[in-house]
Amino acid sequence: MAQNLYSSGVRMGNWNEDAYLEEVERMKDFLEKREQGKLLIQRNRRLKMHLLRPMQLSISEDGYIHYGDQVMLVNPDHSEGEEASAFLGGDLSLCMTPDEIQAYLSDKLELPCGLSAAHTLVPVGRNTFVVLSIGGDATGQVLRYGQDFCLGITAGFDNKMLYLSSDHKTLLRSAKKSWLQEVHLTDEVSHLARWQATFLDPQLRLEHEGFPVRANEKLLLYHCHTNRGLAVHRQLFLRTYFGKEAEVAAHTHLDSHRAEKPKNYWMLVTGNPRNASSTMPALQRQPVEDTGTVEPDVTCQAHV
């Protein structure tokens, strides 16, 4: 009895021509997308180019922070204390952190955009913030303790500004690891984007109300609407588009003396006049050559 020698795996007809035509169509589609810059790898490179675009920090000639200054927000290095063994040491800067999956699919930022703290201490698009006034143009005026202000970031884009914002936590909106109050970036200017600089020592806090905010010195940043301090959780790691970084949230961590812990410490870091690509803290950490003279303290200025 004759048997069927053909099976479903046997190709019949002009299968080779059809496969070739499909390959040609895919190649044409690929070349068209490449010419238009729509390939995923091209979108990914454009986004990374903006976020890692070198930025120029403002140079403070009088030692104070002014409206319109471009600064980095740095959480200074501190000991682990009571934290777990997993701890991210060193100085950490506040950085914008786009969604990892979305970053591979688009060259645009998805809003609201997250934040994290990383060892990136070179001023680039993702960690350079602008001190903005509220209610009018106060560019050049000194920022003072107790004044409301906004912190904006361009992320390396032109004609784009996002604002550091926060709101009370809910069941659907909170920090990813600690479940505390979330901090994010949005393009809306509202009461949720207002912050205040607070003097570090609680015993001298009232006396310094209205005094100018000094650059490159420790202070606290409080969210006006919720009265929560901006904090870094060095023991809680996030997997981001740029690697492992620490979580940032809005929460005031107090010790037994009702004083804020180092998690809430920040510095508004300005540029180094000797080297445009570095910062003032980096300059202060450089060893001074023994020339027989005393190195002047570049941060010491009289109060105004």
Side-chain angles (χ1 to χ4, degrees), residues 19-153:
Y20 178 76
L21 291 175
E22 290 179 4
E23 184 178 350
V24 171
E25 288 297 324
R26 287 197 297 267
M27 180 59 68
K28 289 174 60 178
D29 183 61
F30 169 79
L31 294 176
E32 182 179 354
K33 288 184 177 180
R34 189 180 66 174
E35 291 294 329
Q36 298 176 357
K38 294 182 179 180
L39 295 178
L40 294 182
I41 189 172
Q42 291 176 317
R43 294 178 178 179
N44 177 260
R45 287 175 178 173
R46 280 198 299 269
L47 179 60
K48 183 178 291 187
M49 178 187 66
H50 286 296
L51 297 180
L52 299 181
R53 175 182 176 184
M55 302 294 287
Q56 177 67 53
L57 298 180
S58 299
I59 296 174
S60 178
E61 297 181 356
D62 57 3
Y64 300 115
I65 297 295
H66 306 79
Y67 289 108
D69 284 354
Q70 292 197 138
V71 299
M72 289 172 54
L73 276 65
V74 175
N75 177 247
D77 185 24
H78 57 271
S79 60
E80 299 182 21
E82 76 282 2
E83 304 296 348
S85 57
F87 186 84
L88 193 62
D91 294 343
L92 302 180
S93 65
L94 183 66
C95 301
M96 69 178 311
T97 307
D99 180 74
E100 186 178 10
I101 297 178
Q102 185 66 23
Y104 285 105
L105 300 177
S106 175
D107 56 353
K108 298 181 180 179
L109 294 172
E110 184 180 16
L111 300 179
C113 182
L115 292 141
S116 62
H119 282 127
T120 306
L121 296 180
V122 176
V124 293
R126 68 183 295 243
N127 67 357
T128 302
F129 290 80
V130 183
V131 180
L132 302 173
S133 60
I134 296 175
D137 185 13
T139 302
Q141 297 183 19
V142 176
L143 175 67
R144 299 179 180 274
Y145 289 112
Q147 285 184 340
D148 292 3
F149 66 97
C150 292
L151 287 167
I153 185 171

Side-chain angles (χ1 to χ4, degrees), residues 235-248:
Q235 78 282 9
L236 300 178
F237 303 125
L238 299 176
R239 179 185 175 184
T240 72
Y241 177 65
F242 296 94
K244 185 175 71 172
E245 298 178 351
E247 181 192 73
V248 175

Side-chain angles (χ1 to χ4, degrees), residues 144-147 196-212 220 222 260 303:
R144 299 179 180 274
Y145 289 112
Q147 285 184 340
Q196 280 188 2
T198 303
F199 194 72
L200 189 66
D201 190 344
Q203 296 182 349
L204 300 176
R205 194 163 294 170
L206 185 61
E207 287 82 350
H208 280 78
E209 194 79 8
F211 272 57
L220 307 171
Y222 271 90
E260 291 81 0
H303 288 297

Side-chain angles (χ1 to χ4, degrees), residues 258-282:
R258 305 296 296 175
E260 291 81 0
K261 295 183 178 180
K263 297 178 182 180
N264 292 114
Y265 293 178
W266 293 94
M267 293 191 303
L268 300 181
V269 173
T270 56
N272 177 5
R274 302 181 186 177
N275 186 353
S277 62
S278 64
T279 62
M280 281 299 296

